[in-house]
Amino acid sequence: MKKVQQLFQSEDGNTSQREVILNHIEKILTTMDELKDPNKTILGEKRSRSPLFYQELMEQHTVPEIGSSLDTVVEDLVELMEGHPYHTHNFVTNVLPMASVPGVLGSLTNSLLNGNNLWDVYGPAAAECEVKIISMMSKIVGYDFTKSFGYTTWGGQGAVFSGLRLAIAKQFPHAKEEGVPNNLYCFASENAHYSLLKSIEAVGIGSNHLIRVKAGKDHAMDMEDLQYRLEEVIAKGGIPVYIVATTGTTDSFGIDDMATIKYITMSIEQRYNLKPIHIHADSALGGFYAFFNDYDYASNPLQFEQDVLEGLQQITKRMKNLYLADSLCFDFQKLGQTPYLTSLFLVKDGSSLGLLDLDDFDTPYVGNRGYGTYHTGYTLECSRMGSSIAIFAALTAFGKTGYQTILANYVRVNLAFRKQLTQSNLSFQIVNPENIGPVTAFRFYPAGNAWNKEQNGVMTKAQITSINEMNEKLFEILGENRDQIFFGDTTRVCTVRASDTSELVPIAAAKLFAISPYTEVHHIPAIIESLKLSLSNLEGIHVEV
Ligand SMILES: *Cc1c(COP(=O)(O)O)cnc(C)c1O
């Protein structure tokens, strides 16, 4: 038993057991540091994986009869670091951030306490932090913190799902017992995250009842199409229950126009005498730019350059209206600089969570007692990790200006990249020029720029597809070189109309996503140079290097 006890932190706080833990942590940190190279995007050396890699892992691994020493375990752990992606200044792929130190410390504290965020009797630290961060972020978006509420959940996906549960419960409070009616409809931009698709499948509405609203040239939902689609559904006897406004699309940072969506929704509710349609702002990614909502653009205290300032102001114009949404989300593991999984779901009218709550009868061993009042019976999860602790630590350490500084730098880097890419005369065209933010999507044109033509619907499907294929070849080359500079890519940054079909045709594009705290403007020339080199490796393409 003694030997097993050695696998735990001490019972009495003795120094020798503490030192054992500290030594192991020291070893992990030291090894990781030894593997770092700021000019690469991985730790140590690239590891190739044979096609049989995972099969071999299955064949080789069985639970050991006798446990290994912690030294051996730590050896195994640090070996896992070899070849792992790492967020240096060359790490410009998707929104996969480095976890900040306060975030990691918060997570560590949470792991050490190992409270269960299900109930404040079991996880008081997490419950406290949850209430604090709900209020802190409510104030950032302009919710009334005395009315709003929320909880940490399983990703931006979990927030979209929770919003849908609320949407159904608000119109059909008995759907919990009786099931979901078969004429419910949900609406989102064609550029929305696939979270909604999965949620609609999961609640049993059926994915045929997801209405994808056309997006405009700014990659945001087209407001006329939204109105048209809502009316079309109503005319056929359908009931709109849920509209997801993506405020910061994952591939292009298109920001749906919350104010107009709210206006259209309210007028339709009135005209057709409908119950309230729940609007969820999928702000998982972009919501963090609400940190600029009260930035003093006139005096510009952080002294942002003119173009950065204008870019931020353009984002703020839309983010200011986030408070109009019935619910929203902050994926702190994205632009909030905390480790996975730290997402916050916020509801404008917190009392509506009561619609999702379980009866005391159904939760016999937790719940309302004199000694515990905070029981999260309304979440889909039962046990919950205390991710609010990491979020609280990050919010405290960064403060508003810390977040403003890093978020503005993403914009600064993207503006510089766009400018230099355009000046480079490489055959790329930026396909989200109107969307200022942390990401630039750029498309390669083998035979002269055709983005305008593609957007205006004058190209054939075959022509667009052949450009897509060329871009996908480029993705392979960029992917092959990802240990040097790690670009992102997408096979559908948006869709366009073609001249010879009524189908919408997807547009493939490479992406630069500024996400590392270490990427700065002076790194851009080398990034462009590497694009040039990759292009020169594209078969059949002649590029002067
Ligand atoms: C990332 C993202 C999601 C999904 O979030 P997870 O945390 O990965 O579940 C949903 N919506 C948007 C807009 C996103 O950017």
Side-chain angles (χ1 to χ4, degrees):
M1 198 54 208
K2 266 260 153 1
K3 197 166 164 229
V4 173
Q5 285 172 350
Q6 295 290 315
L7 295 178
F8 294 83
Q9 51 174 322
S10 71
E11 187 182 27
D12 60 359
N14 69 71
T15 45
S16 64
Q17 264 176 286
R18 176 161 74 241
E19 251 144 43
V20 172
I21 300 178
L22 281 173
N23 287 340
H24 289 307
I25 291 180
E26 163 99 41
K27 164 91 181 166
I28 291 173
L29 290 177
T30 312
T31 314
M32 188 161 172
D33 279 345
E34 284 164 3
L35 293 172
K36 290 178 184 173
D37 175 348
N39 292 314
K40 289 191 171 177
T41 61
I42 59 167
L43 297 168
E45 296 303 317
K46 206 162 151 179
R47 289 201 299 187
S48 57
R49 298 191 156 176
S50 76
L52 294 178
F53 181 73
Y54 292 107
Q55 188 183 328
E56 284 166 9
L57 291 185
M58 286 193 249
E59 284 161 6
Q60 290 160 4
H61 286 79
T62 314
V63 179
E65 205 51 49
I66 298 175
S68 309
S69 70
L70 282 183
D71 287 328
T72 311
V73 172
V74 170
E75 292 286 325
D76 286 350
L77 292 179
V78 297
E79 213 181 290
L80 290 172
M81 295 178 169
E82 185 81 37
H84 201 279
Y86 189 66
H87 319 76
T88 61
H89 63 264
N90 284 338
F91 192 92
V92 288
T93 184
N94 283 308
V95 52
L96 303 166
M98 179 185 274
S100 67
V101 174
V104 171
L105 294 177
S107 267
L108 178 65
T109 306
N110 175 47
S111 293
L112 291 170
L113 292 172
N114 206 28
N116 189 335
N117 202 179
L118 164 71
W119 194 24
D120 60 349
V121 175
Y122 299 157
E128 255 173 58
C129 284
E130 198 162 52
V131 172
K132 289 179 194 171
I133 63 167
I134 288 165
S135 172
M136 289 160 102
M137 295 313 291
S138 289
K139 289 166 192 163
I140 291 292
V141 292
Y143 275 177
D144 174 352
F145 74 94
T146 64
K147 297 212 169 76
S148 65
F149 209 58
Y151 48 87
T152 56
T153 188
W154 41 286
Q157 161 97 62
V160 168
F161 188 83
S162 300
L164 178 54
R165 285 183 78 205
L166 269 182
I168 297 169
K170 276 160 69 175
Q171 291 203 32
F172 300 93
H174 298 297
K176 278 202 301 180
E177 296 86 21
E178 295 166 5
V180 178
N182 63 7
N183 60 340
L184 308 188
Y185 285 81
C186 303
F187 301 76
S189 163
E190 58 168 332
N191 294 334
H193 191 269
Y194 55 77
S195 306
L196 180 58
L197 177 68
K198 284 213 234 169
S199 304
I200 288 178
E201 289 172 0
V203 298
I205 285 183
S207 55
N208 289 343
H209 289 207
L210 166 58
I211 307 297
R212 293 172 203 266
V213 179
K214 180 81 189 99
K217 286 188 175 174
D218 61 356
H219 300 265
M221 219 175 347
D222 182 284
M223 291 298 105
E224 280 176 24
D225 198 43
L226 173 64
Q227 169 127 12
Y228 174 79
R229 298 291 187 156
L230 282 163
E231 287 178 347
E232 187 181 48
V233 159
I234 295 164
K236 289 185 182 156
I239 301 177
V241 282
Y242 194 42
I243 299 175
V244 171
T246 310
T247 47
T249 59
T250 322
D251 274 340
S252 60
F253 213 69
I255 306 174
D256 287 351
D257 178 356
M258 201 51 233
T260 308
I261 293 172
K262 180 75 187 166
Y263 175 77
I264 290 176
T265 308
M266 282 183 13
S267 37
I268 290 224
E269 283 165 5
Q270 271 172 8
R271 192 155 2 117
Y272 297 95
N273 198 18
L274 301 176
K275 291 203 188 140
I277 304 168
H278 188 98
I279 305 175
H280 177 72
D282 188 357
S283 52
L285 168 66
F288 290 92
Y289 279 87
F291 275 116
F292 291 95
N293 280 1
D294 65 353
Y295 186 71
D296 184 347
Y297 281 101
S299 71
N300 189 17
L302 296 182
Q303 301 187 352
F304 297 127
E305 306 84 332
Q306 194 55 33
D307 58 342
V308 176
L309 200 67
E310 283 167 17
L312 290 170
Q313 217 159 358
Q314 184 185 320
I315 301 172
T316 299
K317 242 193 235 156
R318 291 237 159 138
M319 290 304 171
K320 269 200 159 192
N321 296 322
L322 271 184
Y323 75 96
L324 293 170
D326 297 304
S327 59
L328 47 82
C329 168
F330 289 97
D331 255 3
F332 275 82
Q333 77 266 11
K334 286 181 175 168
L335 303 184
Q337 324 295 331
T338 49
Y340 295 102
L341 198 60
T342 43
S343 297
L344 178 64
F345 173 61
L346 280 187
V347 187
K348 188 178 194 166
D349 171 15
S351 67
S352 63
L353 288 177
L355 294 166
L356 307 179
D357 215 345
L358 294 166
D359 288 335
D360 280 351
F361 179 80
D362 294 316
T363 62
Y365 60 89
V366 289
N368 298 317
R369 313 274 195 276
Y371 55 90
T373 50
Y374 190 86
H375 170 225
T376 58
Y378 36 83
T379 62
L380 197 67
E381 304 99 310
C382 176
S383 292
R384 292 193 309 128
M385 72 177 286
S387 49
S388 54
I389 301 178
I391 298 177
F392 178 70
L395 286 171
T396 309
F398 280 86
K400 258 195 213 173
T401 53
Y403 280 112
Q404 287 166 344
T405 304
I406 194 167
L407 294 168
N409 187 57
Y410 299 148
V411 167
R412 180 184 296 118
V413 164
N414 272 277
L415 289 173
F417 175 73
R418 290 173 182 203
K419 196 160 159 194
Q420 293 183 34
L421 187 69
T422 308
Q423 285 166 352
S424 73
N425 286 326
L426 296 175
S427 339
F428 287 111
Q429 186 70 22
I430 293 158
V431 299
N432 65 335
E434 294 181 29
N435 305 120
I436 310 292
V439 61
T440 299
F442 53 102
R443 178 163 164 88
F444 172 61
Y445 288 95
N449 178 8
W451 175 229
N452 279 339
K453 284 195 215 155
E454 282 180 321
Q455 267 196 315
N456 294 330
V458 297
M459 301 216 6
T460 64
K461 182 181 171 191
Q463 286 174 316
I464 301 169
T465 307
S466 106
I467 300 172
N468 279 344
E469 280 163 8
M470 205 41 111
N471 275 271
E472 281 164 33
K473 276 189 196 153
L474 177 65
F475 298 171
E476 290 303 318
I477 296 171
L478 294 176
E480 201 50 45
N481 301 331
R482 72 184 184 284
D483 58 326
Q484 304 297 323
I485 295 190
F486 197 168
F487 288 99
D489 59 55
T490 173
T491 52
R492 180 168 60 87
V493 66
C494 60
T495 61
V496 294
R497 295 191 191 287
S499 59
D500 57 344
T501 162
S502 56
E503 268 170 70
L504 291 168
V505 187
I507 291 289
K511 293 197 304 188
L512 174 122
F513 210 121
I515 192 64
S516 165
Y518 293 109
T519 309
E520 294 191 65
V521 168
H522 66 266
H523 297 119
I524 301 293
I527 290 177
I528 304 259
E529 231 12 73
S530 94
L531 274 179
K532 209 184 229 179
L533 206 63
S534 291
L535 268 190
S536 70
N537 289 330
L538 248 187
E539 234 175 283
I541 300 296
H542 178 73
V543 182
E544 293 200 9
V545 185

